Amino acid sequence: MTAQTQANSAPEAGIDRAPFTRFAEDYRLRQEALNLIRQLVQMIKGSQRHRGMSMAMLGGNKQFQPEFNRLQQTLERRLLMLQAFTRGTALLSERERDNLHTAWLTISRDWHSDSVIDNYELHCHLVEQLLAMLISLSRPLETPMSEPQGEAMEIPTRVQTLELVHFCTRMMPSVVEQIGRIRALASYAAAIGYCDPHHDNKLRYVIQNTKVNNEKLRHQIRRLEQVLGPEFGQLGELKRYELKLMFLLNMVENDVLSGGPISADSARLFQVATDIIDVYLQAVGNGIALLAIWLERDRERWLSQLPE
């Protein structure tokens, strides 16, 4: 190829490249945030499960031991992966990474020697850290990089993006954490066969919070149905699982908080709660996947909106 041909095939020298550079930086930031959000959701899910299993075992139920050992190894690896992905980026600070590492070491080393109260509170502290990171990472995603133009109002709009980000990184994870706390406390009480006043108070408090948050979730699902339409197809399943959540809460109130000896099976309580948590977190994962699809649409729309 001659120099003249190369010159003719190259991008026009007069084009301002600065907008492309800024857009690429913003786009990569959002991609990295989505990637880390996926990893954090898995860390939250595993840490909640670790809490529930460890408390059931502290109560005397040893049937979780083989799965618990595998889970602990998986969480170790997930933490190392999260640290590797965030090292050298501004998405998580070195202090946040260190605090997360310290919190994990505290709950994972010699956990069987901890009191059940300490075990519960330390796990809750770890999950709260992860939830705070989830919110922080979601902020760059709250608005699209371009705005729909004309009457078509193609997706994503600013409102749609904000609503879905809020649902996936704030509301649903908060509801899931309340159910996770119920799972841990109820599994422990059922394992030892009674609910002492301290855990009774904690369970009643968490159940009340869950009912309040579930009411907010119901309204948010209706809102998403209006705003997103068929774009997010799992909302109907979430409405059906509300009945299963009510079943869980009634079972805990009647079988665990009755004031007498507990005959409910610890493993069954754990599994009923886990089934709900898994479906709720699957909805979160689907919402994050939809945000990734929207990011690609947004990139193409930005390109098409450049002046001739």
Side-chain angles (χ1 to χ4, degrees):
M1 183 179 290
T2 65
Q4 181 64 38
T5 304
Q6 289 176 337
N8 291 339
S9 63
E12 293 182 27
I15 293 179
D16 183 6
R17 289 167 175 77
F20 292 89
T21 300
R22 289 193 297 269
F23 180 86
E25 290 173 352
D26 189 11
Y27 178 81
R28 280 195 292 267
L29 175 67
R30 292 163 185 257
Q31 275 193 319
E32 290 177 356
L34 281 168
N35 181 22
L36 292 177
I37 285 170
R38 290 188 186 97
Q39 293 189 49
L40 280 175
V41 169
Q42 291 300 319
M43 280 289 296
I44 290 167
K45 180 180 180 179
S47 300
Q48 291 168 335
R49 196 175 181 90
H50 190 279
R51 174 180 55 198
M53 288 183 175
S54 62
M55 287 188 65
M57 288 191 290
L58 285 173
N61 186 342
K62 303 303 182 184
Q63 70 185 87
F64 291 112
Q65 189 70 59
E67 185 181 354
F68 179 83
N69 292 340
R70 292 191 295 270
L71 174 62
Q72 182 141 320
Q73 185 180 63
T74 299
L75 280 170
E76 294 272 4
R77 292 172 177 174
R78 287 196 181 282
L79 179 59
L80 290 172
M81 182 179 290
L82 184 67
Q83 290 175 332
F85 269 88
T86 56
R87 194 169 290 115
T89 75
L91 290 169
L92 287 182
S93 68
E94 183 176 354
R95 180 178 180 182
E96 286 175 313
R97 289 194 297 272
D98 289 345
N99 288 342
L100 192 59
H101 180 70
T102 300
W104 169 246
L105 287 179
T106 303
I107 67 169
S108 61
R109 300 294 182 263
D110 299 322
W111 63 269
H112 51 276
S113 301
D114 293 339
S115 70
V116 69
I117 296 173
D118 286 345
N119 181 277
Y120 175 77
E121 296 295 347
L122 290 169
H123 274 91
C124 291
H125 175 66
L126 171 62
V127 175
E128 286 167 0
Q129 283 184 267
L130 292 167
L131 291 172
M133 291 176 184
L134 195 65
I135 293 172
S136 176
L137 285 169
S138 73
R139 291 196 176 102
L141 305 170
E142 290 179 345
T143 56
M145 293 176 290
S146 61
E147 280 293 339
Q149 295 180 352
E151 296 180 0
M153 291 299 288
E154 69 272 17
I155 292 171
T157 65
R158 185 180 297 270
V159 170
Q160 288 169 326
T161 303
L162 187 59
E163 292 282 356
L164 187 56
V165 169
H166 176 77
F167 178 80
C168 292
T169 63
R170 291 167 175 78
M171 176 160 282
M172 281 300 284
S174 176
V175 172
V176 166
E177 170 58 3
Q178 295 302 314
I179 301 171
R181 293 185 180 196
I182 292 170
R183 175 176 62 183
L185 293 166
S187 298
Y188 170 74
I192 65 174
Y194 65 93
C195 192
D196 61 66
H198 179 80
H199 291 92
D200 183 288
N201 290 337
K202 281 189 174 295
L203 252 179
R204 293 183 188 277
Y205 177 74
V206 177
I207 288 173
Q208 181 59 38
N209 283 344
T210 303
K211 289 178 179 178
V212 171
N213 285 336
N214 185 61
E215 185 64 26
K216 294 178 182 177
L217 177 61
R218 185 184 300 119
H219 291 297
Q220 181 66 12
I221 289 174
R222 290 177 189 153
R223 169 72 175 163
L224 284 175
E225 286 178 325
Q226 294 172 350
V227 171
L228 301 185
E231 278 283 307
F232 192 22
Q234 203 177 2
L235 296 174
E237 186 175 8
L238 291 178
K239 289 194 290 186
R240 290 191 295 273
Y241 261 78
E242 184 183 355
L243 296 176
K244 294 191 176 184
L245 176 58
M246 292 301 103
F247 172 77
L248 171 67
L249 299 183
N250 289 334
M251 182 165 60
V252 173
E253 288 177 324
N254 294 331
D255 297 346
V256 178
L257 298 175
S258 60
I262 299 173
S263 59
D265 181 61
S266 174
R268 172 164 160 71
L269 282 167
F270 184 94
Q271 192 56 53
V272 171
T274 299
D275 289 344
I276 300 167
I277 289 171
D278 287 351
V279 168
Y280 281 19
L281 287 179
Q282 183 182 20
V284 170
N286 289 347
I288 294 167
L290 182 55
L291 287 170
I293 291 171
W294 285 0
L295 182 61
E296 300 307 305
R297 291 183 194 171
D298 204 7
R299 181 194 61 197
E300 293 302 309
R301 186 169 66 199
W302 181 87
L303 194 63
S304 69
Q305 290 175 357
L306 291 172
E308 296 291 338

